[in-house]
């Protein structure tokens, strides 16, 4: 095989790996989300210990089940770093801010920022109703400023 062709293929492979590793497409992946009028529903049986990222009309959020079995949800933007538009990634039992590198235990996610300042996964209210995690569209819209 020609040396230039090998180098070209190598560069393309490297770019592809970087594309996947660093989220150049964003963190949002396709997942089942049911639009139900004023609500979005996500089947609980589809939520596991690996974070799933969702996009509702440009508003990004993630859901994940903590080690103790509770479903956790937050905007894919933090209270301070949202302007960087880098979101979060999962590393084991932590969600990590892609901008500042702060780690947050998944078991602690799903509350408002208790200190009122600093990086924290943006609070998104949701309820478990029957077999679904239910999020009001109004709650989603309350975080739109993070993604504008």
């Amino acid at each position: 095989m020609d040396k230039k062709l090998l180098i070209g293929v190598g560069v393309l492979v490297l770019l592809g790996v970087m594309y996947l590793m660093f989220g150049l497409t964003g963190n949002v992946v396709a997942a089942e989300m049911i639009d139900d009028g004023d609500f979005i529903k996500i089947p609980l049986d589809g939520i596991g210990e690996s974070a799933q990222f969702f996009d509702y009309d440009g508003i990004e959020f993630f859901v994940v089940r903590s080690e103790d079995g509770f479903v956790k949800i937050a905007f894919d933007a933090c209270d301070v770093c949202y302007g960087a538009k880098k979101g979060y990634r999962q590393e084991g039992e932590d969600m990590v801010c892609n901008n500042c590198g702060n780690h947050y235990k998944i078991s602690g996610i799903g509350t408002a920022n208790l200190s009122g300042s600093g990086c924290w996964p943006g609070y998104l209210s949701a309820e478990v109703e029957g077999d679904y995690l239910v999020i009001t569209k109004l709650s989603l819209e309350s975080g739109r400023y993070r993604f504008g």
Side-chain angles (χ1 to χ4, degrees):
M1 203 180 247
D2 182 59
K3 186 176 180 180
K4 288 182 181 180
L5 181 61
L6 280 175
I7 291 172
V9 169
V11 168
L12 287 175
V13 168
L14 179 62
L15 288 174
V17 168
M18 289 174 58
Y19 192 79
L20 294 173
M21 284 180 60
F22 296 108
L24 298 179
T25 62
N27 267 338
V28 181
V29 297
E32 184 177 2
M33 181 171 53
I34 302 165
D35 191 334
D36 189 21
D38 292 335
F39 304 92
I40 296 297
K41 294 182 176 181
I42 300 170
L44 292 173
D45 62 3
I47 301 172
E49 290 185 4
S50 292
Q52 293 182 59
F53 295 86
F54 294 85
D55 184 321
Y56 169 75
D57 193 29
I59 301 168
E60 299 173 15
F61 62 98
F62 63 86
V63 297
V64 61
R65 195 173 294 272
S66 62
E67 278 185 326
D68 55 9
F70 290 99
V71 174
K72 302 297 183 166
I73 182 170
F75 286 109
D76 191 25
C78 70
D79 289 346
V80 174
C81 302
Y82 69 87
K85 308 221 183 307
K86 293 184 179 181
Y88 287 87
R89 69 183 179 277
Q90 183 175 1
E91 291 183 6
E93 284 301 308
D94 292 350
M95 295 303 290
V96 181
C97 177
N98 290 323
N99 187 57
C100 69
N102 285 352
H103 286 241
Y104 304 95
K105 289 287 181 203
I106 290 171
S107 59
I109 292 174
T111 63
N113 189 339
L114 301 177
S115 70
S117 62
C119 183
W120 185 256
Y123 177 69
L124 173 57
S125 65
E127 304 263 337
V128 172
E129 294 180 10
D131 295 332
Y132 296 93
L133 178 66
V134 179
I135 312 155
T136 67
K137 289 182 181 176
L138 188 60
S139 292
L140 287 163
E141 289 296 336
S142 74
R144 181 172 292 284
Y145 71 93
R146 298 170 190 266
F147 305 98

